[in-house]
């Protein structure tokens, strides 16, 4: 399918956008700690994990949490080894959350693990022993829980040749035991990996991106899986994942069938696509207005509203955020600061039309920055 580049022309704030804005909140994490993953439980309760936004290449084992929607308390994810990378997070209330950890660099695969807290993050316990349920050769990428009992986790493929397949596990007892999914798909074309936090969940459906630009999808909470190609070259693994340097992608779905994909062929250009068949096929969208490609999310409870954020100040449209109420056809800027890092908006997630957060970078404990809370309302098209 021929890719059609979209217009990324800059536009000024329209009068319809004045009702929307982002309010800075302090995550109280270390200086330059960015927001890695966001798990919104309710309007008051949100958990995040952190990454090293300084470029120093460290792997923070920290989280921050709010239980009133505004004040954030940081904490340490105790347990994972010194070389472990803490990635995805799933929370179901103010006390209960899970994270996955994986090896970083040349560290041993025993750093794969699932860690659970039931006391608000004060302590974390490994579920299983050593790398269990993962094998040491894998790399734990994502985790999600639908409630306090039922969840899934997925990591990189293990095995050789016809026996190779992604490691995917399910639990129905809060993670006390995990069962391997027999229908986990096989990698394609040699090396293919999953990616930390690259998943989207709507209802019972799950989509995960790979370093070969494919989407692995389940329609039944991870019990069975199918695979589809996408226009994206790579969801973000780069050459290390057998993909293409500078290529990545973002996905978001409003229901079991309809969603958007942003394929980024290098670090500053992108193409927008839509699907009406759960990601089996994709069509380019001739959008108007300015959209960004730092992250992409659907706004639950709306008819067809999506939000994009921009974190790369070198991109043509700069940094900022925008929304579409018609499934990506037209976009309205919330904020836009071309070429200015202070306007960066990273990982984004919404609970409903009035409640959402977008990642930024911490200015340290006792500071004022780290994450933005949405202010306003994103109404659906009537």
């Amino acid at each position: 399918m021929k890719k059609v580049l979209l217009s990324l022309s800059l536009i000024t704030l329209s009068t319809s956008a004045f009702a929307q804005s982002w309010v800075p909140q302090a995550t109280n994490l270390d200086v330059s700690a960015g927001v890695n993953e966001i798990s919104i439980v309710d309007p008051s309760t949100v958990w995040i994990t952190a990454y090293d936004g300084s470029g120093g290449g460290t792997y923070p084992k920290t989280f921050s949490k709010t239980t009133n929607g505004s004040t954030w308390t940081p904490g340490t994810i105790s347990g994972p080894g010194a070389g472990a990378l803490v990635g995805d997070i799933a929370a179901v209330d103010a006390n209960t959350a899970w994270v996955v950890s994986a090896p970083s660099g040349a560290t041993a695969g025993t750093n794969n693990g699932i860690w659970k807290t039931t006391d608000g993050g004060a302590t974390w316990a490994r579920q299983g022993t050593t790398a269990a349920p993962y094998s040491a050769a894998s790399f734990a990428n994502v985790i999600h829980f639908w409630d306090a009992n039922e969840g899934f986790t997925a990591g990189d493929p293990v095995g050789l040749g016809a026996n190779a397949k992604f490691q995917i596990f399910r639990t129905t007892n809060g993670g006390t035991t995990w069962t391997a999914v027999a229908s986990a798909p096989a990698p394609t074309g040699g090396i293919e990996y999953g990616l930390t936090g690259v998943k989207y969940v709507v209802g019972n459906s799950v989509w995960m991106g790979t370093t070969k630009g494919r989407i692995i999808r389940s329609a039944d909470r991870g019990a069975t899986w199918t695979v589809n190609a996408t226009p994206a070259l790579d969801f973000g693994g780069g050459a290390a994942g057998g993909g293409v340097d500078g290529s990545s992608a973002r996905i978001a779905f409003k229901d079991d069938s309809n969603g958007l994909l942003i394929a980024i062929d290098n670090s500053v250009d992108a193409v927008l696509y839509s699907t009406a068949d759960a990601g089996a096929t994709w069509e380019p969208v001739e959008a108007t207005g300015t959209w960004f490609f730092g992250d992409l999310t659907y706004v639950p409870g709306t008819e067809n509203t999506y939000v994009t954020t921009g974190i790369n100040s070198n991109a043509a449209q700069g940094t900022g955020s925008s929304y579409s109420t018609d499934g990506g056809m037209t976009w309205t800027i919330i904020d836009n600061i071309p070429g200015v890092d202070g306007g960066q908006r990273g990982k984004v997630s919404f609970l409903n039309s009035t409640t959402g957060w977008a990642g930024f970078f911490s200015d340290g404990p006792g500071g004022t920055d780290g994450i933005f809370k949405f202010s306003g309302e994103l109404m659906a098209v009537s």
Side-chain angles (χ1 to χ4, degrees), residues 38-51:
I38 304 173
S39 182
I40 303 176
V41 176
D42 56 44
S44 299
T45 309
V46 187
W47 298 66
I48 62 172
T49 53
Y51 73 93

Side-chain angles (χ1 to χ4, degrees), residues 22-28 38-48 64-73 94 349 351 354-358 368 370-375:
W22 296 101
V23 178
Q25 295 181 334
T27 55
N28 293 304
I38 304 173
S39 182
I40 303 176
V41 176
D42 56 44
S44 299
T45 309
V46 187
W47 298 66
I48 62 172
S64 194
K65 180 185 69 172
T66 179
T67 56
N68 61 10
S70 58
T71 304
W72 292 79
T73 302
S349 184
L351 177 70
T354 60
T355 308
W357 280 264
T368 59
I371 198 167
F372 290 98
K373 184 177 183 180
F374 180 74
S375 176

Side-chain angles (χ1 to χ4, degrees), residues 170-255:
R170 297 181 72 246
T171 181
T172 56
N173 56 15
T176 301
T177 56
W178 293 87
T179 302
V181 174
S183 65
T188 186
I191 298 174
E192 182 180 29
Y193 299 142
L195 294 153
T196 301
V198 179
K199 72 175 191 304
Y200 207 87
V201 180
V202 175
N204 295 329
S205 293
V206 181
W207 295 264
M208 298 186 295
T210 79
T211 57
K212 290 290 187 179
R214 299 199 304 166
I215 286 179
I216 301 171
R217 186 216 175 198
S218 171
D220 52 13
R221 296 194 174 190
T224 59
W225 295 83
T226 57
V227 183
N228 291 113
T230 78
L233 298 175
D234 183 352
F235 272 83
V244 179
D245 284 326
S247 296
S248 59
R250 311 286 182 262
I251 52 171
F253 285 81
K254 77 166 190 174
D255 55 34

Side-chain angles (χ1 to χ4, degrees), residues 14 144 153 185 299 307 333:
S14 66
H144 179 81
T153 183
V299 180
V307 172
I333 286 179

Side-chain angles (χ1 to χ4, degrees), residues 26-98:
T27 55
N28 293 304
L29 293 164
D30 291 341
V31 172
S32 296
V35 176
N36 197 16
E37 303 298 334
I38 304 173
S39 182
I40 303 176
V41 176
D42 56 44
S44 299
T45 309
V46 187
W47 298 66
I48 62 172
T49 53
Y51 73 93
D52 182 358
S54 72
T58 65
Y59 300 98
K61 297 162 186 62
T62 52
F63 71 95
S64 194
K65 180 185 69 172
T66 179
T67 56
N68 61 10
S70 58
T71 304
W72 292 79
T73 302
T76 299
I77 301 172
S78 56
L85 181 157
V86 172
D88 206 8
I89 185 169
V92 294
D93 56 41
N95 293 314
T96 310
W98 297 258

